[in-house]
CSV table of all heavy atoms in Angstrom, one decimal:
chain,number,residue,atom,x,y,z
C,174,SER,N,-62.8,99.8,93.5
C,174,SER,CA,-61.8,99.4,92.5
C,174,SER,C,-60.8,98.5,93.1
C,174,SER,O,-61.0,98.0,94.2
C,174,SER,CB,-61.1,100.7,92.0
C,174,SER,OG,-60.5,101.3,93.1
C,175,SER,N,-59.9,98.1,92.3
C,175,SER,CA,-58.6,97.4,92.8
C,175,SER,C,-58.9,96.1,93.5
C,175,SER,O,-58.3,95.8,94.5
C,175,SER,CB,-57.8,98.3,93.6
C,175,SER,OG,-58.4,98.6,94.8
C,176,HIS,N,-59.9,95.3,93.0
C,176,HIS,CA,-60.1,94.0,93.7
C,176,HIS,C,-59.7,92.8,92.7
C,176,HIS,O,-59.7,91.7,93.1
C,176,HIS,CB,-61.5,93.8,94.1
C,176,HIS,CG,-61.9,94.7,95.3
C,176,HIS,ND1,-61.2,94.7,96.5
C,176,HIS,CD2,-62.8,95.7,95.3
C,176,HIS,CE1,-61.7,95.7,97.2
C,176,HIS,NE2,-62.6,96.2,96.5
C,177,GLY,N,-59.4,93.3,91.5
C,177,GLY,CA,-59.1,92.2,90.4
C,177,GLY,C,-58.1,91.2,90.8
C,177,GLY,O,-58.3,90.0,90.6
C,178,PHE,N,-57.0,91.6,91.3
C,178,PHE,CA,-55.9,90.8,91.7
C,178,PHE,C,-56.3,89.8,92.7
C,178,PHE,O,-56.1,88.5,92.5
C,178,PHE,CB,-54.7,91.6,92.2
C,178,PHE,CG,-53.5,90.8,92.5
C,178,PHE,CD1,-52.7,90.5,91.4
C,178,PHE,CD2,-53.2,90.4,93.7
C,178,PHE,CE1,-51.5,89.7,91.7
C,178,PHE,CE2,-52.1,89.6,94.0
C,178,PHE,CZ,-51.2,89.3,92.9
C,179,ASN,N,-57.0,90.2,93.8
C,179,ASN,CA,-57.4,89.3,94.8
C,179,ASN,C,-58.6,88.4,94.4
C,179,ASN,O,-58.6,87.3,94.9
C,179,ASN,CB,-57.7,90.1,96.0
C,179,ASN,CG,-56.6,90.7,96.7
C,179,ASN,OD1,-55.4,90.3,96.5
C,179,ASN,ND2,-56.8,91.8,97.4
C,180,ILE,N,-59.4,88.8,93.5
C,180,ILE,CA,-60.4,87.9,92.9
C,180,ILE,C,-59.7,86.7,92.2
C,180,ILE,O,-60.0,85.6,92.4
C,180,ILE,CB,-61.3,88.7,92.0
C,180,ILE,CG1,-62.3,89.6,92.7
C,180,ILE,CG2,-62.2,87.6,91.1
C,180,ILE,CD1,-63.1,90.5,91.9
C,181,LEU,N,-58.7,87.0,91.4
C,181,LEU,CA,-57.9,86.0,90.7
C,181,LEU,C,-57.3,85.1,91.7
C,181,LEU,O,-57.3,83.9,91.6
C,181,LEU,CB,-56.8,86.6,89.8
C,181,LEU,CG,-57.3,87.4,88.7
C,181,LEU,CD1,-56.1,87.6,87.7
C,181,LEU,CD2,-58.4,86.7,87.9
C,182,LEU,N,-56.7,85.6,92.8
C,182,LEU,CA,-56.1,84.8,93.8
C,182,LEU,C,-57.0,83.9,94.5
C,182,LEU,O,-56.7,82.7,94.6
C,182,LEU,CB,-55.5,85.7,94.9
C,182,LEU,CG,-54.0,86.2,94.9
C,182,LEU,CD1,-53.7,86.9,96.2
C,182,LEU,CD2,-53.2,85.0,94.7
C,183,TYR,N,-58.2,84.4,94.9
C,183,TYR,CA,-59.2,83.5,95.5
C,183,TYR,C,-59.7,82.5,94.6
C,183,TYR,O,-60.0,81.3,94.9
C,183,TYR,CB,-60.3,84.4,96.1
C,183,TYR,CG,-60.1,84.8,97.5
C,183,TYR,CD1,-60.1,86.1,97.9
C,183,TYR,CD2,-59.9,83.8,98.5
C,183,TYR,CE1,-59.8,86.5,99.2
C,183,TYR,CE2,-59.8,84.2,99.8
C,183,TYR,CZ,-59.7,85.5,100.1
C,183,TYR,OH,-59.4,85.9,101.5
C,184,SER,N,-59.9,82.9,93.3
C,184,SER,CA,-60.5,81.9,92.3
C,184,SER,C,-59.5,80.8,92.1
C,184,SER,O,-59.9,79.7,92.1
C,184,SER,CB,-60.7,82.6,91.0
C,184,SER,OG,-61.8,83.5,91.1
C,185,ALA,N,-58.2,81.2,92.0
C,185,ALA,CA,-57.1,80.1,91.8
C,185,ALA,C,-57.1,79.2,93.0
C,185,ALA,O,-57.1,77.9,92.9
C,185,ALA,CB,-55.8,80.8,91.6
C,186,ALA,N,-57.3,79.8,94.2
C,186,ALA,CA,-57.3,79.0,95.4
C,186,ALA,C,-58.5,78.0,95.5
C,186,ALA,O,-58.4,76.9,95.8
C,186,ALA,CB,-57.2,79.8,96.7
C,187,LEU,N,-59.6,78.6,95.1
C,187,LEU,CA,-60.9,77.8,95.0
C,187,LEU,C,-60.7,76.7,94.0
C,187,LEU,O,-61.2,75.5,94.3
C,187,LEU,CB,-62.1,78.6,94.6
C,187,LEU,CG,-62.7,79.5,95.8
C,187,LEU,CD1,-63.7,80.4,95.3
C,187,LEU,CD2,-63.3,78.6,96.8
C,188,ASP,N,-60.1,76.9,92.9
C,188,ASP,CA,-59.9,75.9,91.9
C,188,ASP,C,-59.1,74.7,92.5
C,188,ASP,O,-59.2,73.6,92.0
C,188,ASP,CB,-59.2,76.5,90.6
C,188,ASP,CG,-60.1,77.2,89.7
C,188,ASP,OD1,-61.3,77.1,90.0
C,188,ASP,OD2,-59.7,78.0,88.9
C,189,ARG,N,-58.2,75.0,93.4
C,189,ARG,CA,-57.2,74.1,93.8
C,189,ARG,C,-57.9,73.1,94.9
C,189,ARG,O,-57.3,72.1,95.3
C,189,ARG,CB,-56.0,74.7,94.5
C,189,ARG,CG,-55.0,75.1,93.5
C,189,ARG,CD,-53.7,75.3,94.1
C,189,ARG,NE,-53.6,76.3,95.2
C,189,ARG,CZ,-53.4,77.6,95.0
C,189,ARG,NH1,-53.2,78.0,93.8
C,189,ARG,NH2,-53.5,78.4,96.0
Side-chain angles (χ1 to χ4, degrees):
Chain C
S174 60
S175 65
H176 296 298
F178 185 82
N179 289 339
I180 288 173
L181 292 195
L182 266 187
Y183 269 121
S184 290
L187 282 173
D188 281 347
R189 281 202 301 270

